[in-house]
């Protein structure tokens, strides 16, 4: 039986630039997503009104039914005044914070040990309801005097910074993006432990599709499964599946779909981090939700909770069609390609039980 | 000042077959190693006298000064009678045990949860002083009813099997190969805790060069650093460095140098496991030992302890030249290549403080 999923939203999307943008932007709709929240880690990063307006226009030219929500890249370039102007003009919906050096195009990022220089910006964000999107990892270090940080504990070690931010800005809307550990899931539960039925959370976590499938073994030797944060242990994966299917309003879908040309994946060193899930996003999720007997929670995860958190105004949608999940097999493409580019999607060749339709 | 290292030995070497064998066999000597203990995971695995004699002849044709010690591949093909015959003819020095499916060409391997079917063979090995070389990992599993096994705990979870084997065959010489965790180092210390000065251990661990450099971050996104067992956490690396430089006779050098053509490394899925260290083996080690102020322990690690454990008969050496460490910079090649093959060595382009000479 077909399942109506509403105005589906992916609150963490990388659509890149130029040829890659043209290739992957139409796959947002193909994957069953109506609303795409767009990451700003372009080259150069998006830190001005002109950039964000121009980028949105470019994206809108590639697909006339996808609604694009835009973001700034948190960096020294931003000022409280600029952020306020962007908020008032509704040019952006949030600001993405990358710790320096942890993933693709994060070199302009910040030091997660000290957010205080950005507090004037966070004040403005809190005032205007802008969302702070946190890449929640500490940069790796094992040569200093302090504690070792590596790709496996980088997220748990970031969590105290999340608690501090929330304590300092209790009304600021914060997303712990693409969380990958039981520790992160537990932290989000802890922050929301007193949330009453029907009340809106201020701190939520986004969860990707691929982290519901992968553990460390799956990216060891398989660059197409390598992303940041890296997939962790079986216990972590089980905690993520439980969170995504929990029906709790503080776990929302953000695919972190991150396309790279296969020539940047099939290299012996310096593999680009990112898993590309966009063209089959909802079908990947449906497979997992069904395996847990929780298909009835899928709409919450991919529409209701995220749209409520982001106070998505349905009157602003570019299309009023809703996504329907239909019990019709889809086969993941081996590649998504043009003449110049070839991106290998997650689980190439896999048979998925579901497809999506727009009605 | 130059340092005499004696008859250097690498007690864990993969020299492959055919063109790859011809390419890499001469690099044993180039890397500063006189005695090479040869792994049997060819295609098909080495499980007969004919195979092992023929393979040794082939290797000897490629380098007239390297001494090759040969092994069988533990599998159902072996019988106690065959092992006894091989021991009496001195055709092999030991037998390598691969758990099924954990690394390159290990499909014919054994179930590490139950070694009992091989006990008749271990009896013969113990009687003749043959060495059992254990790849100490349990195969990954996270779907069964039991404990999750993944690439990060596969070695610690194997250790009870090592203790049981040693308890059942206390005189059997066992090597826990390429150990990668503090847990494994601690287990070897524990087994040898009552060893008296000058007494020979029956259970030792081999340690590679690359595991003295790498942690999980270094192979995440860098297929040339991906090997099995995978490099673990900073604490594990520190424990390995401490063990290798400890001057304890139960830690010996085995490079596990495992060449793959770069075309099997630069792929987006199914990367071959293995790090190629052979051409600079001793120089990589010297760099680490020097950083710890332990250059005086290098000869123990690369000659004395391993040769004592394997009761290496110096009169059987094909060359009586000794390896000398000289304080002359060497630069790691970008590739080791022929027309058909190209292998990228560990740390391509790195400047190392030392070189080797034969005198």
């Amino acid at each position: 039986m077909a399942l109506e999923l509403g105005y589906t939203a992916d609150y963490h999307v990388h659509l890149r630039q130029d040829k890659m943008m043209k290739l992957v932007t139409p796959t947002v709709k193909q994957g069953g997503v109506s609303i795409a929240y767009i990451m700003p880690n372009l080259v150069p990063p998006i830190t001005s009104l002109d950039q964000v307006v121009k980028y949105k226009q470019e994206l809108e030219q590639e697909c006339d039914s996808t609604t694009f929500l835009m973001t700034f890249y948190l960096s020294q370039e931003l000022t409280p005044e600029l952020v306020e102007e962007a908020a008032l003009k509704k040019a952006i919906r949030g600001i993405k914070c990358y710790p320096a050096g942890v993933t693709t195009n994060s070199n302009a990022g910040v030091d997660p040990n000290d957010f205080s220089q950005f507090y004037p910006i966070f004040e403005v964000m809190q005032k205007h309801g802008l969302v702070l999107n946190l890449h929640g990892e500490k940069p790796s270090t094992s040569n200093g005097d302090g504690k070792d940080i590596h790709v496996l504990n980088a997220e748990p070690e970031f969590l105290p910074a999340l608690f501090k931010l929330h304590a300092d800005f209790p009304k600021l809307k914060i997303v712990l993006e693409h969380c990958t550990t039981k520790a992160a899931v537990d932290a989000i539960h802890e922050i929301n432990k007193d949330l009453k039925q029907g009340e809106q959370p201020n701190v939520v976590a986004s969860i990707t599709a691929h982290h519901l499938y992968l553990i460390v073994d799956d990216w060891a030797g398989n660059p197409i499964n390598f992303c940041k944060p890296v997939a962790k242990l079986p216990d972590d994966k089980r905690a993520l599946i439980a969170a995504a299917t929990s029906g709790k309003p503080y776990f929302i879908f953000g695919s972190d779909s991150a396309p790279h040309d296969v020539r940047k994946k099939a290299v012996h060193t310096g593999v680009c981090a990112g898993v590309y899930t966009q063209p089959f996003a909802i079908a990947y999720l449906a497979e997992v939700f069904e395996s847990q007997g929780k298909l009835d929670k899928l709409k919450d995860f991919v529409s209701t909770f995220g749209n409520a958190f982001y106070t998505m105004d349905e009157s602003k949608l570019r299309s009023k069609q809703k996504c329907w999940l239909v019990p019709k097999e889809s086969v993941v493409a081996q590649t998504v390609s043009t003449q110049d580019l070839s991106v290998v999607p997650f689980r190439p060749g896999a048979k998925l039980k579901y497809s999506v339709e727009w009605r």
Side-chain angles (χ1 to χ4, degrees), chain A residues 209-220:
Chain A
H210 54 280
H211 287 118
L212 304 181
Y213 286 86
L214 301 175
I215 63 165
V216 56
D217 287 51
D218 300 304
W219 56 267

Side-chain angles (χ1 to χ4, degrees), chain A residues 17 42 84 88 104 132 160 220 275 314 317 330 334 340 356 358:
Chain A
Q17 295 158 278
L42 305 189
E84 181 143 57
L88 292 172
T104 303
L132 178 63
V275 173
E314 291 183 3
L317 290 171
S330 51
Q334 292 291 341
D340 299 321
V356 292
W358 296 97

Side-chain angles (χ1 to χ4, degrees), chain A residues 184-202:
Chain A
V185 167
D186 290 347
I188 299 298
H189 277 300
E190 170 67 20
I191 288 172
N192 289 291
K193 68 179 190 294
D194 296 326
L195 195 75
K196 293 178 185 64
Q197 185 77 28
E199 207 177 352
Q200 270 303 311
N202 284 324

Side-chain angles (χ1 to χ4, degrees), chain A residues 10 27-33 209 213 253 255 257 276-287 325 329-336 343-352 354-356:
Chain A
D10 179 346
T27 67
V28 173
K29 184 178 184 183
Q30 289 162 26
V33 164
Y213 286 86
F253 178 49
S255 71
S257 175
Y276 180 55
T277 49
Q278 210 73 65
F280 301 89
I282 298 294
Y284 293 129
L285 292 172
E287 194 100 350
L325 189 74
E329 183 178 282
S330 51
V331 179
V332 178
Q334 292 291 341
T335 60
V336 173
V343 184
V344 178
F346 181 53
R347 302 183 69 212
K351 288 180 181 173
L352 305 176
Y354 291 93
S355 303
V356 292

Side-chain angles (χ1 to χ4, degrees), chain A residues 4-80:
Chain A
E4 183 260 303
L5 296 177
Y7 300 121
T8 44
D10 179 346
Y11 279 104
H12 193 127
V13 174
H14 294 274
L15 294 180
R16 313 299 193 200
Q17 295 158 278
D18 305 323
K19 287 175 184 170
M20 183 63 90
M21 177 187 76
K22 290 177 186 292
L23 177 62
V24 302
T25 301
T27 67
V28 173
K29 184 178 184 183
Q30 289 162 26
V33 164
S34 176
I35 302 159
Y37 187 81
I38 305 301
M39 292 296 117
N41 59 332
L42 305 189
V43 182
I46 295 185
T47 56
S48 74
L49 274 170
D50 284 351
Q51 279 174 292
V52 81
V53 168
K54 178 166 175 286
Y55 187 38
K56 189 178 186 183
Q57 285 169 350
E58 289 174 0
L59 294 172
E60 289 184 339
Q61 281 169 21
E62 302 305 323
C63 183
D64 60 10
S65 56
T66 301
T67 299
F68 299 99
L69 303 178
M70 308 305 290
T71 58
F72 274 165
Y73 187 119
L74 186 66
S75 80
Q76 313 262 8
E77 313 267 306
L78 298 187
T79 62

Side-chain angles (χ1 to χ4, degrees), chain A residues 224-261:
Chain A
I224 50 165
N225 292 338
F226 169 60
C227 59
K228 293 297 302 293
V230 299
K232 307 295 193 304
L233 303 186
D235 265 349
D236 296 305
K237 178 176 127 175
R238 283 188 284 265
L240 295 172
I241 292 172
T245 61
S246 66
K248 298 288 184 191
Y250 36 84
F251 295 109
I252 69 173
F253 178 49
S255 71
D256 193 18
S257 175
H260 291 287
D261 187 87

